[in-house]
């Protein structure tokens, strides 16, 4: 299986699902895009990290990040191995 590196290129309101967002992934230097529909809380957490903002209190995913940091867990890659129904 050939791997393709993707980066976050943007985020917008989902046109297919009310109250959801589209996290847009893209191939660096190319026009290929892969939108992934995510919820509002996930979109907020990603936006906070991308903008290097500090929330007033820890968010839910911060618990997992602190756990991973404490035990030296590093996520080196995420593989999308199945794409169904658009």
């Amino acid at each position: 299986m050939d791997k393709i590196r993707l980066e976050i290129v943007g985020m917008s309101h989902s046109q297919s699902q009310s109250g959801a967002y589209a996290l847009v992934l893209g191939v660096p230097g190319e026009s290929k895009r892969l939108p992934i529909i995510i919820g509002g809380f996930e979109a907020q957490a990603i936006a906070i990290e991308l903008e290097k903002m500090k929330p007033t209190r820890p968010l839910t995913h911060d618990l997992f990040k602190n756990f991973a940091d404490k035990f030296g867990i590093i996520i080196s890659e995420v593989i999308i191995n199945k794409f169904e129904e658009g």
Side-chain angles (χ1 to χ4, degrees):
M1 164 177 55
D2 292 334
K3 295 180 187 177
I4 300 172
R5 180 180 177 83
L6 299 173
E7 295 179 351
I8 297 173
V9 295
M11 193 173 348
S12 66
H13 288 281
S14 172
Q15 295 180 5
S16 64
Q17 293 183 0
S18 177
Y21 291 80
L23 178 67
V24 183
L25 304 177
V27 177
E30 295 184 24
S31 62
K32 293 180 184 177
R33 299 287 184 259
L34 175 63
I36 297 181
I37 305 302
I38 60 175
F41 293 117
E42 293 80 11
Q44 179 186 30
I46 292 169
I48 286 171
E49 181 65 26
L50 290 175
E51 296 295 324
K52 306 286 188 236
M53 297 169 57
K54 283 286 186 195
T56 55
R57 62 176 181 78
L59 300 175
T60 305
H61 69 277
D62 292 324
L63 174 62
F64 179 77
K65 183 179 181 317
N66 291 341
F67 171 85
D69 289 345
K70 181 75 173 175
F71 288 95
I73 298 169
I74 298 170
I75 297 175
S76 59
E77 66 182 5
V78 175
I79 297 175
I80 301 170
N81 66 354
K82 194 171 189 179
F83 189 72
E84 288 184 11
E85 299 179 28

